[in-house]
Amino acid sequence: MLLKDIIRNRYIYLMLLPVVVYYIIFSYLPMYGAQIAFKSFSPVNGIWGSTWIGLQHFEAFFQGIYFWRTFRNTLLISLYDILFGFPAPILLALLLNELRSLKYKRLVQSFTYMPHFISVIVVVGIMVDFLTRDGLVNLVLADLGLEKIAFLQSPEWFRGLYIGSGIWQQVGWGSIIFIAAIAGIDPTLYEAARVDGAGRFRQVMHITLPGIMPTIIILLILRLGNVMNVGYEKILLMYNPMVYETADVISTYVYRKGILDASFDYSSAVGLFNSVINLVLLVIANYTSRRVNGSGLW
């Protein structure tokens, strides 16, 4: 049956093939190297020839001075991103859907989409130009008679700047999928609601939001499955030793240990721990969603 299905839908499977090959090469084959997390890895001896040491790297990480700092920072940044960053595209999509002027709607969409196409390096460069001691923001504060703030050297400002800049850059692009979901809602539901006397706010609360709720749930589950994956690229560009207290996350720690210190086995153990936590959170989020709403990824 499978062979007949492949022959009958061969062109569809052919379109799927590049994606399958991509994930095999970059997601499944690298799993072979994950075993060095349990070995004292030596490039000379190779993966199989290295000595098996069990959970020593994991124990060293859990007992190390950086464990709680990196774990706490990773969790807090991700939770703040879910709390403030995840609802932002939904709110923007709802607001855009309420605009009656198509021309103005397209203009707002264009302006909110554009930051997505700006590279992270440029975004951080803009932040540096605006937030340094002699930057635009501090010049305005000085003109107002206020004290200048060392934004990029203050640990208490790092998380807010990281989350805020991320929302600014991705809110427009992230709203596309919710706008598409809203477009799929049956217009007759709105007509019936207006006949019953429902205003625009009640239509949003009782028609629009329930209509896009399955999309929200699926994306939230996927986001919860990446709670421990805080991208290190932007943090590396933003942070400095003065803000390590709130900026150092697991991914940047893995980068320093694996790339800078060439401790491949230890960094693999830390990365594997991170992935296992993400997997557990993904399963819990999907199970909870299925029990509460009856929908999930599987």
Side-chain angles (χ1 to χ4, degrees):
M1 293 296 293
L2 178 60
L3 182 59
K4 290 182 179 180
D5 184 69
I6 293 176
I7 295 174
R8 183 172 59 253
N9 302 297
R10 56 187 177 277
Y11 296 114
I12 298 177
Y13 282 105
L14 190 61
M15 293 174 60
L16 181 64
L17 183 61
V19 179
V20 174
V21 172
Y22 171 85
Y23 279 101
I24 289 176
I25 294 176
F26 295 103
S27 297
Y28 288 95
L29 290 181
M31 291 182 181
Y32 164 78
Q35 59 181 300
I36 68 174
F38 306 93
K39 294 188 174 186
S40 178
F41 177 69
S42 170
V44 177
N45 297 327
I47 295 177
W48 281 107
S50 299
T51 306
W52 183 273
I53 59 173
L55 301 177
Q56 289 186 21
H57 293 310
F58 295 92
E59 294 173 356
F61 175 57
F62 296 150
Q63 297 171 5
I65 59 175
Y66 298 113
F67 171 70
W68 283 114
R69 184 179 76 179
T70 56
F71 185 81
R72 181 187 69 246
N73 291 339
T74 302
L75 194 60
L76 285 177
I77 290 176
S78 289
L79 290 178
Y80 289 158
D81 186 42
I82 293 174
L83 184 62
F84 299 105
F86 184 78
I90 302 174
L91 180 60
L92 178 61
L94 294 175
L95 293 174
L96 288 174
N97 185 60
E98 294 302 312
L99 292 176
R100 292 295 177 257
S101 173
L102 184 60
K103 184 178 181 180
Y104 183 67
K105 181 178 180 179
R106 289 175 176 174
L107 182 64
V108 174
Q109 285 179 308
S110 298
F111 275 103
T112 55
Y113 292 168
M114 284 192 294
H116 171 78
F117 300 100
I118 303 175
S119 69
V120 174
I121 294 177
V122 175
V123 171
V124 175
I126 294 173
M127 293 172 61
V128 171
D129 290 338
F130 274 66
L131 300 175
T132 54
R133 279 285 185 178
D134 298 321
L136 178 62
V137 175
N138 275 315
L139 290 178
V140 173
L141 291 177
D143 290 340
L144 295 175
L146 302 175
E147 185 179 352
K148 291 184 176 181
I149 302 174
F151 292 99
L152 300 179
Q153 287 76 39
S154 302
E156 62 272 15
W157 280 97
F158 181 85
R159 292 172 185 152
L161 293 175
Y162 180 88
I163 300 301
S165 61
I167 293 174
W168 172 77
Q169 188 177 14
Q170 301 297 338
V171 64
W173 186 259
S175 67
I176 293 177
I177 190 170
F178 297 109
I179 293 174
I182 292 173
I185 298 176
D186 189 354
T188 59
L189 295 175
Y190 293 100
E191 296 175 2
R194 284 192 292 269
V195 170
D196 291 339
R200 297 174 70 175
F201 180 75
R202 286 188 175 274
Q203 292 177 38
V204 170
M205 297 303 297
H206 297 287
I207 298 176
T208 308
L209 274 177
I212 64 174
M213 191 56 65
T215 303
I216 295 175
I217 291 174
I218 294 300
L219 292 178
L220 181 60
I221 292 173
L222 292 174
R223 182 63 189 86
L224 290 174
N226 286 283
V227 163
M228 302 300 291
N229 285 345
V230 177
Y232 69 92
E233 300 91 346
K234 186 177 179 181
I235 292 182
L236 285 177
L237 294 169
M238 287 182 60
Y239 81 168
N240 56 74
M242 298 181 67
V243 296
Y244 275 0
E245 178 185 347
T246 58
D248 195 23
V249 295
I250 291 179
S251 57
T252 55
Y253 182 64
V254 169
Y255 170 80
R256 291 200 308 273
K257 297 298 292 186
I259 304 300
L260 302 183
D261 296 345
S263 182
F264 305 115
D265 43 13
Y266 180 81
S267 61
S268 296
V270 177
L272 184 60
F273 161 77
N274 201 39
S275 299
V276 169
I277 295 296
N278 280 328
L279 177 61
V280 172
L281 290 174
L282 177 63
V283 173
I284 293 175
N286 186 76
Y287 175 78
T288 304
S289 176
R290 291 191 66 86
R291 290 294 300 270
V292 175
N293 298 300
S295 62
L297 289 176
W298 68 85

